[in-house]
């Protein structure tokens, strides 16, 4: 009878431990689901930012093309109007506009390049998040194996 009582007590302890482990497992699973949801939302946001970066890159290319065209126009005008005082005045005004345009384009390019750097940092953070998900999933699988072993015992 004493041996049976000890086995019953041992079995009750094992059941209690199994129940506690199952509760921890469910808590871990819920936490992992929440983290995965947060990380997936971050991935969606990063995709939107990548699209914005692509648009910015296309805009930079367009602005650089316009800048080259403006430079060519200025060179042609310099050659054509060098002999006339009115033409020199027009040339000077055009050169001022050209310089203003150049300064504006440089500012826009600087802003767009800063956006590209920020996106690169966010891509690195997303990569880190993806590695964290993989690690958490591995831990979850290990916890599942532990629960299965306890259930068998």
């Amino acid at each position: 009878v004493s041996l049976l009582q000890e086995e019953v007590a041992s079995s009750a302890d094992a059941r209690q431990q199994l129940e506690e482990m199952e509760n921890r497992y469910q808590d871990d699973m819920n936490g992992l689901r929440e983290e995965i949801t947060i990380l997936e939302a971050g991935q969606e946001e990063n995709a939107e930012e990548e699209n914005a970066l692509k648009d910015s890159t296309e805009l930079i290319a367009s602005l650089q093309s316009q800048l080259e065209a403006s430079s060519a126009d200025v060179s042609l005008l310099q050659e054509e109007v060098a002999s006339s005082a009115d033409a020199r005045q027009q040339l000077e005004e055009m050169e001022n506009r050209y310089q203003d345009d150049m300064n504006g384009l440089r500012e826009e390019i600087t802003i767009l390049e800063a956006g590209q750097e920020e996106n690169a940092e966010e891509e690195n953070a997303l990569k880190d998040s993806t590695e964290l998900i993989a690690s958490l999933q591995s831990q979850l699988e290990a916890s599942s194996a532990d629960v299965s072993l306890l259930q068998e015992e």
Side-chain angles (χ1 to χ4, degrees):
V1 170
S2 294
L3 285 175
L4 280 175
Q5 288 175 334
E6 287 177 20
E7 283 185 35
V8 167
S10 175
S11 177
D13 288 344
R15 273 190 234 115
Q16 177 65 31
Q17 288 175 350
L18 178 60
E19 185 177 313
E20 290 171 1
M21 189 156 218
E22 285 176 344
N23 289 338
R24 283 194 307 271
Y25 170 79
Q26 288 302 320
D27 290 344
D28 289 346
M29 285 289 290
N30 291 335
L32 288 172
R33 284 186 188 104
E34 289 176 16
E35 286 188 45
I36 288 170
T37 299
I38 291 168
L39 292 171
E40 287 172 343
Q43 287 175 330
E44 290 174 11
E45 182 178 316
N46 193 47
E48 292 171 3
E49 290 174 359
E50 285 178 16
N51 288 336
L53 177 60
K54 181 180 176 184
D55 293 344
S56 297
T57 303
E58 291 171 0
L59 178 59
I60 287 173
S62 173
L63 292 174
Q64 287 174 333
S65 176
Q66 291 174 13
L67 179 61
E68 291 170 6
S70 294
S71 296
D73 291 344
V74 168
S75 295
L76 287 175
L77 281 175
Q78 285 173 333
E79 292 171 9
E80 290 176 10
V81 297
S83 63
S84 163
D86 289 339
R88 281 189 213 108
Q89 178 63 32
Q90 290 175 353
L91 178 59
E92 185 175 302
E93 290 172 2
M94 188 163 223
E95 285 177 335
N96 290 338
R97 285 195 304 270
Y98 170 75
Q99 288 301 321
D100 291 343
D101 289 346
M102 285 286 291
N103 291 336
L105 289 172
R106 285 186 186 106
E107 289 175 11
E108 287 186 44
I109 288 170
T110 301
I111 290 167
L112 293 170
E113 287 173 344
Q116 287 176 324
E117 291 175 10
E118 181 179 326
N119 193 50
E121 292 172 3
E122 290 173 0
E123 285 177 7
N124 288 337
L126 178 60
K127 181 179 176 186
D128 293 346
S129 298
T130 303
E131 291 172 0
L132 176 60
I133 288 173
S135 172
L136 293 173
Q137 287 174 333
S138 175
Q139 292 174 10
L140 178 61
E141 290 171 7
S143 294
S144 296
D146 291 347
V147 168
S148 296
L149 287 175
L150 279 175
Q151 288 174 334
E152 289 175 11
E153 288 179 11

